[in-house]
Amino acid sequence: MNKIQGNINGIRKSILARLDALYEYTIPADQPATMELINLLAAFTSEINREVMVYINRKGQIIQIAVGDAVTVSLPELPGKRSLNRLSGIRCLHTHPNGNSELSAVDISALQEMRFDLMAAIGAGET
């Protein structure tokens, strides 16, 4: 059983299994992400034409994966306790199927509201 959240209806089981395998992936602590992970997320988005999001903790572990639609992905609640005075300890990396890697107003709002350590968008698909 996969642990992928969000809009997974209509996605082949083989793709969900490949997404699920990302939970085994680790990012070096001194990097916000790796080119391999960025390329994998972009490839998934190009394949399914939906936004894909991962949460990465400060240990470099992927702790949550979600799929959205062609325009947005719902951000799951952050695990653990959160202080209003500190960052969450989570990096949010997600894709934009339209090829635009600029953070949207919704992205910036989520960055502030959820107090991510980092919010990054990967432009995938058309430019």
Side-chain angles (χ1 to χ4, degrees):
M1 175 165 223
N2 68 58
K3 301 173 275 185
I4 310 303
Q5 296 188 356
N7 182 12
I8 60 172
N9 292 333
I11 299 176
R12 291 190 318 262
K13 289 181 182 179
S14 61
I15 294 172
L16 291 174
R18 289 181 12 234
L19 271 169
D20 200 49
L22 290 177
Y23 281 108
E24 303 303 317
Y25 196 84
T26 303
I27 293 87
D30 63 339
Q31 297 179 24
T34 62
M35 283 307 299
E36 181 181 10
L37 178 60
I38 290 167
N39 289 332
L40 284 168
L41 294 175
F44 281 122
T45 292
S46 294
E47 194 170 354
I48 63 175
N49 195 34
R50 299 184 195 184
E51 286 197 14
V52 178
M53 181 280 319
V54 296
Y55 284 165
I56 305 165
N57 67 18
R58 289 184 180 158
K59 295 177 184 175
Q61 302 163 317
I62 294 176
I63 59 168
Q64 196 122 45
I65 302 171
V67 175
D69 57 30
V71 180
T72 188
V73 63
S74 294
L75 299 176
E77 282 296 315
L78 294 172
K81 296 180 181 178
R82 293 191 302 166
S83 166
L84 296 176
N85 301 320
R86 293 185 172 162
L87 295 177
S88 66
I90 304 295
R91 292 171 264 169
C92 179
L93 192 63
H94 70 288
T95 60
H96 287 169
N98 64 5
N100 184 351
S101 62
E102 254 183 69
L103 291 180
S104 68
V106 172
D107 294 338
I108 293 169
S109 176
L111 171 66
Q112 294 169 331
E113 186 176 311
M114 297 181 85
R115 304 191 55 78
F116 291 120
D117 287 12
L118 170 101
M119 168 68 84
I122 301 162
E126 298 178 16
T127 55

